[in-house]
Amino acid sequence: MIIVLKQNINEAREQQLIDWLKSQGLGVHVSNGAYQTVLGLIGDTGKVDMELLESLDIVESVKRVSETFKCCNRKFHPEDTVVEAGGVKIGGGNFCMIAGPCSVESEEQIVSVAKAVKASGASVLRGGAFKPRTSPYDFQGLKATGIELLKIARQETGLPIVSEIMSAHDLDLFEDVDILQVGARNMQNFDLLVELGKSGKPVLLKRGLANTLKELLMSAEYLMASGNEKVILCERGIRTFSDYYRNTLDVSAVPMLHELSHLPVIVDPSHATGIARMVPPMALSAVAAGADGLIIEVHNDPIHALCDGAQSLRPEEYDELAKKIMKVREAIK
Amino acid sequence: MIIVLKQNINEAREQQLIDWLKSQGLGVHVSNGAYQTVLGLIGDTGKVDMELLESLDIVESVKRVSETFKCCNRKFHPEDTVVEAGGVKIGGGNFCMIAGPCSVESEEQIVSVAKAVKASGASVLRGGAFKPRTSPYDFQGLKATGIELLKIARQETGLPIVSEIMSAHDLDLFEDVDILQVGARNMQNFDLLVELGKSGKPVLLKRGLANTLKELLMSAEYLMASGNEKVILCERGIRTFSDYYRNTLDVSAVPMLHELSHLPVIVDPSHATGIARMVPPMALSAVAAGADGLIIEVHNDPIHALCDGAQSLRPEEYDELAKKIMKVREAIK
Amino acid sequence: MIIVLKQNINEAREQQLIDWLKSQGLGVHVSNGAYQTVLGLIGDTGKVDMELLESLDIVESVKRVSETFKCCNRKFHPEDTVVEAGGVKIGGGNFCMIAGPCSVESEEQIVSVAKAVKASGASVLRGGAFKPRTSPYDFQGLKATGIELLKIARQETGLPIVSEIMSAHDLDLFEDVDILQVGARNMQNFDLLVELGKSGKPVLLKRGLANTLKELLMSAEYLMASGNEKVILCERGIRTFSDYYRNTLDVSAVPMLHELSHLPVIVDPSHATGIARMVPPMALSAVAAGADGLIIEVHNDPIHALCDGAQSLRPEEYDELAKKIMKVREAIK
Amino acid sequence: MIIVLKQNINEAREQQLIDWLKSQGLGVHVSNGAYQTVLGLIGDTGKVDMELLESLDIVESVKRVSETFKCCNRKFHPEDTVVEAGGVKIGGGNFCMIAGPCSVESEEQIVSVAKAVKASGASVLRGGAFKPRTSPYDFQGLKATGIELLKIARQETGLPIVSEIMSAHDLDLFEDVDILQVGARNMQNFDLLVELGKSGKPVLLKRGLANTLKELLMSAEYLMASGNEKVILCERGIRTFSDYYRNTLDVSAVPMLHELSHLPVIVDPSHATGIARMVPPMALSAVAAGADGLIIEVHNDPIHALCDGAQSLRPEEYDELAKKIMKVREAIK
């Protein structure tokens, strides 16, 4: 960490600051330039409060040199992480197609969608059992029953399953779920992250609607610092002033997260756009940018879907998209 | 809800849509204009999926006429709600000054700050025991011990206490806390909201960093639909592209929330700006806009604060601010 | 336009509004639903002030049914527009690679870059002569000399040229430039748009940093309503809270602009990201989403570039990218 | 400027960078810390391209220590600037109330509004003659005629006048206008700024919809570097994800701009909110935060206003507000 002091400051105050920093167990390297004095801090600066230092009247500015995320940082782990879940590999060149309905509605529905997406090349089945809804009056999912139906679909197709968990209370119910999804609204629900970290189960961590990449990586850090290295990052659109589509898919997050971290990065074009006809171009766009996988909503009867139908593809649309995805994968090799 | 159909559409498709809407238990009023047909839906449209309808190829656009929030809506409850907590009233003309340190650090610290802010006119003591931190490596609060120290400070001063709860797991520990705070990151932690709703305890609900006012009110609705009417809304800054300060305090939220809802609205200028010297002007600004109260960080020794020191006022600064607040309250009457 | 009135309003007030609307030359179709009255306006509602109507105390809400952009609207012009400039076609299946340095610096520089990008498949040469800079102290471009150097490069290579015009004052200097670029900061410089509209020259219109797609299309409308149909839209990144890259490339704008408008849509990944190593993945991403072209910065010696060097590719990097672009074009067919 | 180098880099490359920096006329102070090497640059770093340096593979990060704005920087000019226009002083404790209709419509209208706002304490009359409109089909103002009508109103009331100029072409028409307004969309129309700078006339510079404070100050710098010190900054709302109001008034900009710059700072609550009933609370809020003045839309007959009527106060509403403004001014002294 580097602290730039203001010009012409009182030397006693400067010394006081240096002494305080040393009392925190840090080494301090003083560099007197022509225009300003710069203090270089040596040691574990992770706990130093940058904003407190910036607020001091003798300080011009403060700059953190080293990243605060460690476990997920590519600097300390140059090779790609490959997450294994239910026999499927994600990351490190292993492309993963996750597909399924927004909500699990019935055995017939989830099994038929599972079979359809498997036939089109999907290797993981998604389906919401616990649904986070902005309104308390909206459908909240089939809950435990939904999980049971997902397991039936897994048995019928062999596809591992991923579903969103909203509370550590429900961990028992998810014991036999292959990948636990943390939704965008819970990306900074730190208590949930710590419990999922302890569980050791593969986690698909969605970026919050207005969270930076650094914050996403710090949330991954919560999972990993609790001992869980099976983390998949997911970009799903950010909140901007945009009109005409629900969120703005931040495709640039894909190459940048790959640069910053060794974790696999997948993209959810369905929630990002909220519009079925925009899913194919944005899915292809994510693949071209190097995504390690896609999570896409597919429904056999969008008009009757209980929620989010507007963003679901029909199985035949998904099939057509899957073929193009493979071609784009080939093109960028 | 109003559905505008596209021009020159197939009548059979139009009839199919009308039939489907009726099958959902809705009345449909068809209005054929010169340029377009408009369907007015009658009945409980709360569960109708607007986005699904918008995605249909015969639909031009959909507009919801009635608000989806009910319990907190001023339309159905024109008088201001007054929340009582620990003998203090908030809202409906009762201005409430909440103050205290970011984190509870020691008995000496919390008691001395409590005495100081009480002397300056504060009527509720704040103090963090459980701290949500972006990094797992940062100080997470004294937890249960912190709550105990807050109770000691309450005993010494008579001030009721408010503290942030991050998980329903911890509800027992908060049994004797006067107001439970839901932090910005947990505004859409719906499981937590439902449990706090059932608890019946006064809740201070902070607006999320990138949440709309409608989403804030829907989260209040989660609390109220679970039977808890003691909800205080809190604006604490939103995430924008702004430079020079941490967040952008959305002062306009104060009069607009008052228009939309009968719940009290308070403002947190400390977290919004992240800079102690900006707290006084922004606190006065919120008061001038009609806020029902302020929650302000005060620390007796900012340089040693374990977190967020940069945004804390010293007791003497708070005292000076408190006097101006009273004058501005008088001026806008 | 549809006006939804509030419930239980005074009939005299309602009639007063209807009369006023009729006095503005509009037909009014009144539809009395069970819960509310809806007025459907017939005629040219383009000049009706929606916000004024919304501000009336008897009005619940107002919805515009028809788009305010006409000339660039795909509804009224279903086929793709193909813009021709200097013998090159853009749009309607004609993919266009525009490349060149941020700023024109010298004859040697611009000619050598032009030759290099042509060899890699570029069909239009870009180069800044007039540079919009946030700071008045930064390099503002070679101006008239820069334009002359671009013409020399065109003569040497046969590539048509595109360069940014910042003021209608300079139109004479741009007489012989093939495509006039309107920069992001000038997207709503309406006086400039009107003059460029009158000029009839092909215009590359960049989306402003915080402008919606509708605003971009309305600016295109300024050009087209002045008689100029040769308009190319360009997405170049929007301002968000994002960290790690300069702007957020809004790739979703590509398919959505294609849906809303018949104009060609190209993408500038260089300015969007501001980082050379992110240009290839984001360029491929834009192509996969269906862009009609790319405008990419290429410099033969990035370390010496007078501005924006950080986002320029070296010719050999551009060459490698160009090959992948062609493969992705093929893959999405 | 400070350059932090990466760890364990090649010394030859480091020396190459140092040599290049020296060739740019800069002094370089090398500081070898335990973990990293830091280069402190001495001299005029204003022209050094930070992003270019950051893009080099041996560089970890770059930090600019000194602000790039000079003329408007409070560091070099600690006393408040007082701008005089038409006999009225703005800034340095001189509070200025600017009021008038959005657009000048007729002599009767502008004179009657001018008389009304003067009676309520306004000291400058505003009125739009040239109107920037998102749509080319909307009313664009009375132009030259509008300016003439403003002059008549000035003659009748003695109030100096302010009006928006959209192009340097029109400077002759504005010769006798007291304050030239640069609108939000033209904040970075650098050609216009340079010409207004040369004109030497007082300029009211509005912050762009998505511009940072630094960019606003750099635009002020364009005016001042051209020799014009009569600059008034104006906060008028920024674009966010906010619902329910048009823009988000960034009240925090007031104290922060006062800290960064010596220029007067006024606020426009009418355009920020777009809703007449929100103008009073937000005006009072800006005053409480220390604004040097307010620019407020007042119309004698909002229902007939040709544009922006929804945000205009009636004269009697303005009068009531003006009284409260004076009381809040008194309260914060």
Side-chain angles (χ1 to χ4, degrees), chain A residues 314-331:
Chain A
R314 290 192 303 273
E316 58 272 25
E317 293 168 327
Y318 180 70
D319 190 61
E320 194 183 334
L321 172 58
K323 292 191 181 104
K324 285 194 180 173
I325 287 169
M326 289 306 129
K327 287 185 188 162
V328 172
R329 287 276 302 158
E330 201 57 38

Side-chain angles (χ1 to χ4, degrees), chain D residues 56-74:
Chain D
L56 299 176
D57 56 3
I58 63 168
V59 170
E60 177 77 38
S61 65
V62 181
K63 184 160 184 61
R64 200 176 280 284
V65 172
S66 52
E67 300 289 3
T68 46
F69 48 91
K70 307 290 177 196
C71 302
C72 62
N73 197 325
R74 192 178 280 276

Side-chain angles (χ1 to χ4, degrees), chain C:
Chain C
M1 186 177 282
I2 287 165
I3 303 175
V4 182
L5 300 184
K6 287 193 178 147
Q7 291 171 25
N8 309 319
I9 58 168
N10 184 307
E11 274 186 45
R13 303 271 339 260
E14 178 180 334
Q15 195 54 48
Q16 202 180 355
L17 174 62
I18 292 170
D19 292 346
W20 181 77
L21 289 165
K22 287 182 176 168
S23 77
Q24 304 288 305
L26 296 166
V28 181
H29 178 273
V30 183
S31 156
N32 292 297
Y35 291 114
Q36 71 276 321
T37 296
V38 176
L39 308 181
L41 305 191
I42 301 159
D44 177 11
T45 60
K47 284 169 191 160
V48 175
D49 181 346
M50 277 183 68
E51 291 182 344
L52 172 58
L53 289 173
E54 278 178 338
S55 76
L56 298 176
D57 56 3
I58 62 168
V59 171
E60 177 77 37
S61 65
V62 181
K63 184 159 183 61
R64 198 176 282 282
V65 172
S66 52
E67 300 287 3
T68 45
F69 48 92
K70 308 291 179 197
C71 302
C72 63
N73 197 325
R74 194 178 279 276
K75 274 187 200 162
F76 311 123
H77 185 307
E79 324 76 51
D80 287 345
T81 281
V82 178
V83 174
E84 284 206 51
V88 169
K89 290 180 178 176
I90 306 171
N94 301 285
F95 191 78
C96 179
M97 307 246 293
I98 307 175
C102 178
S103 294
V104 181
E105 293 167 33
S106 68
E107 180 177 332
E108 193 198 345
Q109 173 239 21
I110 190 69
V111 171
S112 76
V113 174
K115 286 180 177 170
V117 300
K118 188 184 180 185
S120 300
S123 52
V124 177
L125 176 66
R126 63 148 290 152
F130 291 80
K131 304 294 305 171
R133 302 305 300 267
T134 302
S135 165
Y137 310 121
D138 286 347
F139 174 62
Q140 314 269 327
L142 293 183
K143 305 193 174 175
T145 309
I147 299 286
E148 290 314 307
L149 297 177
L150 278 169
K151 289 184 200 167
I152 292 173
R154 175 174 59 188
Q155 204 164 12
E156 295 278 324
T157 60
L159 294 177
I161 55 180
V162 56
S163 198
E164 178 166 352
I165 183 166
M166 289 171 61
S167 167
H169 265 113
D170 301 325
L171 259 171
D172 286 352
L173 286 171
F174 283 76
E175 173 119 46
D176 195 25
V177 172
D178 301 287
I179 305 176
L180 307 191
Q181 178 179 315
V182 176
R185 294 182 185 82
N186 276 322
M187 192 199 90
Q188 292 194 314
N189 180 339
F190 301 124
D191 271 31
L192 178 61
L193 295 176
V194 168
E195 294 306 317
L196 295 188
K198 289 182 196 159
S199 79
K201 295 183 74 67
V203 174
L204 193 164
L205 177 65
K206 287 197 158 185
R207 179 181 181 186
L209 207 52
N211 286 109
T212 61
L213 299 188
K214 187 174 173 185
E215 288 166 345
L216 173 60
L217 292 171
M218 291 311 299
S219 287
E221 200 75 10
Y222 262 96
L223 290 162
M224 297 178 84
S226 306
N228 188 346
E229 306 210 329
K230 299 174 194 153
V231 179
I232 304 157
L233 305 174
C234 181
E235 159 64 29
R236 45 78 72 215
I238 58 173
R239 180 162 274 177
T240 70
F241 55 83
S242 74
D243 49 349
Y244 289 112
Y245 23 87
R246 191 198 290 161
N247 296 126
T248 301
L249 185 64
D250 183 7
V251 184
S252 310
V254 176
M256 187 48 87
L257 286 171
H258 275 151
E259 180 173 325
L260 296 168
S261 174
H262 50 87
L263 296 174
V265 181
I266 70 169
V267 169
D268 177 348
S270 304
H271 283 85
T273 62
I275 302 171
R277 65 183 184 274
M278 289 195 68
V279 170
M282 297 318 295
L284 296 172
S285 161
V287 172
D292 296 303
L294 292 166
I295 178 164
I296 290 179
E297 286 193 9
V298 177
H299 198 285
N300 52 351
D301 185 5
I303 190 77
H304 288 130
L306 292 176
C307 76
D308 283 3
Q311 72 203 22
S312 292
L313 296 185
R314 289 192 304 273
E316 58 272 26
E317 293 168 327
Y318 181 70
D319 191 61
E320 194 183 335
L321 172 58
K323 292 190 181 104
K324 285 195 179 171
I325 287 169
M326 288 307 128
K327 286 185 189 162
V328 172
R329 286 275 302 157
E330 201 58 37
I332 62 165
K333 260 187 192 163

Side-chain angles (χ1 to χ4, degrees), chain A residues 31-50:
Chain A
S31 156
N32 291 297
Y35 290 114
Q36 71 276 320
T37 296
V38 176
L39 308 181
L41 305 192
I42 301 158
D44 178 10
T45 60
K47 284 169 189 160
V48 175
D49 182 345
M50 277 184 68

Side-chain angles (χ1 to χ4, degrees), chain C residues 137 210 215 221-222 239, chain D residues 133 137 210 215 221-222 239:
Chain C
Y137 310 121
E215 288 166 345
E221 200 75 10
Y222 262 96
R239 180 162 274 177
Chain D
R133 303 303 300 265
Y137 310 121
E215 288 167 345
E221 199 76 10
Y222 261 95
R239 179 162 274 177

Side-chain angles (χ1 to χ4, degrees), chain A residues 17 20 24 46-47 49 51-56 68-71 131-140 166-170 185-186 188-191 195 209-212 214-215 218-219 221-222 225 239 246 274 276-277 302-311, chain B residues 17 20 24 46-47 49 51-56 68-71 131-140 166-170 185-186 188-191 195 209-212 214-215 218-219 221-222 225 239 246 274 276-277 302-311:
Chain A
L17 174 62
W20 181 78
Q24 305 288 306
K47 284 169 189 160
D49 182 345
E51 291 182 344
L52 171 59
L53 289 173
E54 278 178 337
S55 76
L56 299 177
T68 45
F69 47 92
K70 307 289 178 199
C71 302
K131 305 293 304 171
R133 302 304 301 266
T134 303
S135 165
Y137 310 120
D138 286 347
F139 174 62
Q140 314 269 328
M166 288 171 63
S167 167
H169 265 114
D170 301 324
R185 294 182 186 82
N186 275 322
Q188 293 195 315
N189 180 339
F190 301 123
D191 271 32
E195 294 306 316
L209 208 51
N211 286 109
T212 60
K214 188 174 171 186
E215 287 166 346
M218 291 311 299
S219 287
E221 200 75 9
Y222 262 95
R239 181 162 273 176
R246 191 198 291 162
R277 64 183 184 275
I303 191 78
H304 288 129
L306 292 176
C307 76
D308 282 2
Q311 72 203 20
Chain B
L17 175 62
W20 181 78
Q24 305 288 306
K47 284 168 190 160
D49 182 346
E51 291 182 345
L52 172 59
L53 290 173
E54 278 178 338
S55 76
L56 299 177
T68 45
F69 47 92
K70 307 290 178 198
C71 303
K131 304 293 303 172
R133 302 304 300 265
T134 302
S135 166
Y137 310 121
D138 286 348
F139 174 61
Q140 314 269 327
M166 288 172 62
S167 168
H169 265 114
D170 301 326
R185 294 182 187 83
N186 276 321
Q188 293 195 314
N189 180 339
F190 301 124
D191 272 31
E195 294 306 315
L209 208 51
N211 286 109
T212 60
K214 187 174 173 185
E215 289 167 344
M218 291 312 299
S219 287
E221 199 76 9
Y222 262 95
R239 179 162 274 177
R246 191 198 291 163
R277 62 183 186 274
I303 191 75
H304 287 130
L306 292 177
C307 77
D308 283 3
Q311 70 204 21

Side-chain angles (χ1 to χ4, degrees), chain B residues 72 74 81 217 220 224 229 231 233 258 261-265 292:
Chain B
C72 62
R74 193 178 279 277
T81 281
L217 292 171
M224 298 179 84
E229 306 210 329
V231 179
L233 305 173
H258 275 151
S261 174
H262 51 87
L263 297 174
V265 180
D292 295 304

